[in-house]
Amino acid sequence: MDISGCASVRRSNATVRRLREIEFNSSSGLDDTTLYFLLEELALTPSGTNMKMFLISPVVCLMAGVLIIPTILFVIFSRFNIRQETRYMLLGNALLSDLIYLLFYTLSAALNAAHLHFPKEACVLLLFLLAVAYCGGLFTAVAIVLDTYVAILFPLRYITILPPSRTKKIIVLLWMCSGAFPGIFFLVLWSTHTFVPCVLETCSVPVILILTLNGTDALKLCFWLSATVIFLCLSVIFCCYAILYFKTKHSGIWESICSRASVTFLMHNTVLFFYFFPLLALFVESFLCVNVLIKLQTGILVSLTVCNVLMIIPKVLFPFLYGLRYREISASLKSIVRRKQLRMVSPAPPPS
């Protein structure tokens, strides 16, 4: 790691810093070298108040996720009849991915807010784990929609198409793809030496995203390939839901707005909207920032909002709006609560 280079940035005097702030707040005229230097300085000297405010959402969402996600996972894996069903295995896999993402991202945000610096290898490992967890949740969301598609349109052949043994293999395949997809990108970036030491030392995901779009061709290629994969996942989900709606609109399940099918459909689309809207906002902000239509500082603030708020909230909404909609899971949770209440009530003493 280039420790001396990072230290020289920290020792910049006030006059030079003021000139950089003027340059930073301008909306044009930044070459690649200046952009790297400004973003490195931003990563090394962030506003403590702003960073702590952006830390609130990850911490609150992690606390809520830790309370509900392990409980649902316990219900799924402790009941044989539940863990043998494809939809519950996929649900458990999605919840596990979301919990891992919440843990690692909150750890990263907390360390950044505390101004603690990473070894370069630790930052790369953390970014890789975040990418694997996020890809795992994204690919599992697509698998859940495909499972619903097969269950509704091919109910008599559903067990033959997706038996429990095949579902387990699909889950293993999902994790392999989740590790291989970001792994290839990280190997490309590592081989081309496009990581920035000072930024990796701080390991700020929003800053690294901005650098990705203003970096080398390899970085830009990785970013836009990721955007393409996400767009394909969204297209598959949208097509499946559209086909399901047109295939079942004459069956009578959509007649009432308050019917279970309508409410479930609305819940699923709400969760998916919260999953993909932050990515859309991030791509729009990235396009505007690359084309110098917004200030660099504005782009950083938008990236912080998207990464620390909009991309975290769906991870907590998913178990509440999606997981608890299943009757078996909600019934199991209620039975667990009742047992605890009965154990807490001591028996009355016998009459003397």
Side-chain angles (χ1 to χ4, degrees):
M1 186 188 303
D2 187 8
I3 300 297
S4 60
C6 295
S8 65
V9 174
R10 296 190 190 98
R11 291 194 299 265
S12 300
N13 58 49
T15 303
V16 175
R17 186 181 300 279
R18 178 57 184 166
L19 291 174
R20 290 175 191 155
E21 287 176 359
I22 295 173
E23 198 174 19
F24 180 81
N25 289 322
S26 65
S27 58
S28 61
L30 296 178
D31 58 12
D32 290 341
T33 304
T34 305
L35 178 65
Y36 274 93
F37 193 74
L38 292 174
L39 284 176
E40 285 174 6
E41 183 172 350
L42 175 68
L44 292 169
T45 58
S47 172
T49 303
N50 290 338
M51 293 301 292
K52 289 177 182 177
M53 288 182 60
F54 282 111
L55 182 61
I56 294 175
S57 177
V59 171
V60 172
C61 291
L62 176 63
M63 292 174 62
V66 168
L67 288 176
I68 185 64
I69 292 178
T71 306
I72 297 178
L73 289 176
F74 173 77
V75 170
I76 293 174
F77 293 112
S78 64
R79 312 256 170 157
F80 179 79
N81 60 327
I82 292 181
R83 69 171 181 266
Q84 289 300 309
E85 293 193 34
T86 298
R87 53 179 177 170
Y88 295 127
M89 284 191 282
L90 292 176
L91 174 64
N93 192 60
L95 292 176
L96 181 61
S97 300
D98 289 348
L99 183 60
I100 294 173
Y101 184 87
L102 283 172
L103 287 171
F104 283 117
Y105 190 86
T106 305
L107 174 64
S108 171
L111 293 176
N112 286 327
H115 299 175
L116 296 178
H117 299 289
F118 285 70
K120 182 175 65 173
E121 292 77 11
C123 178
V124 173
L125 178 61
L126 180 60
L127 292 175
F128 176 75
L129 293 175
L130 281 173
V132 170
Y134 195 87
C135 290
L138 181 66
F139 295 156
T140 307
V142 177
I144 288 174
V145 175
L146 291 174
D147 172 68
T148 305
Y149 179 86
V150 174
I152 294 178
L153 295 187
F154 307 99
L156 299 179
R157 297 165 52 193
Y158 175 73
I159 299 298
T160 304
I161 296 174
L162 288 174
S165 58
R166 184 170 297 171
T167 303
K168 295 176 182 177
K169 295 177 182 178
I170 291 174
I171 291 175
V172 173
L173 179 62
L174 290 175
W175 279 106
M176 291 175 62
C177 293
S178 300
F181 181 69
I184 293 172
F185 287 167
F186 274 75
L187 287 176
V188 171
L189 299 180
W190 192 270
S191 62
T192 55
H193 303 286
T194 51
F195 289 112
V196 183
C198 291
V199 175
L200 285 181
E201 184 180 316
T202 306
C203 206
S204 173
V205 175
V207 172
I208 290 174
L209 288 175
I210 294 294
L211 279 174
T212 301
L213 291 168
N214 292 276
T216 63
D217 292 336
L219 280 169
K220 293 177 182 178
L221 177 63
C222 291
F223 180 87
W224 292 115
L225 283 177
S226 302
T228 302
V229 171
I230 291 171
F231 177 76
L232 290 175
C233 292
L234 180 60
S235 301
V236 170
I237 291 173
F238 176 79
C239 290
C240 288
Y241 273 132
I243 293 172
L244 286 176
Y245 174 76
F246 286 110
K247 291 283 188 180
T248 59
K249 68 177 182 178
H250 299 298
S251 62
I253 62 176
W254 307 104
E255 292 180 358
S256 174
I257 298 179
C258 298
S259 66
R260 182 171 180 82
S262 298
V263 174
T264 303
F265 186 76
L266 177 63
M267 292 296 183
H268 290 187
N269 281 276
T270 301
V271 172
L272 291 172
F273 172 80
F274 279 113
Y275 259 104
F276 287 98
F277 174 75
L279 299 174
L280 178 61
L282 187 62
F283 292 145
V284 171
E285 175 268 328
S286 302
F287 175 80
L288 295 176
C289 191
V290 167
N291 290 275
V292 203
L293 298 176
I294 60 175
K295 295 180 181 180
L296 189 59
Q297 189 173 17
T298 304
I300 290 292
L301 291 176
V302 172
S303 296
L304 279 168
T305 303
V306 171
C307 294
N308 286 30
V309 180
L310 297 181
M311 293 182 72
I312 294 294
I313 290 177
K315 308 296 184 183
V316 179
L317 290 178
F318 186 79
F320 287 99
L321 298 182
Y322 196 99
L324 296 180
R325 289 286 300 168
Y326 288 111
R327 292 189 181 95
E328 291 84 353
I329 291 179
S330 58
S332 298
L333 289 175
K334 290 178 182 177
S335 64
I336 292 174
V337 172
R338 290 196 194 99
R339 286 198 201 111
K340 289 184 178 179
Q341 290 177 345
L342 290 174
R343 289 174 184 174
M344 290 177 64
V345 177
S346 58
S352 54

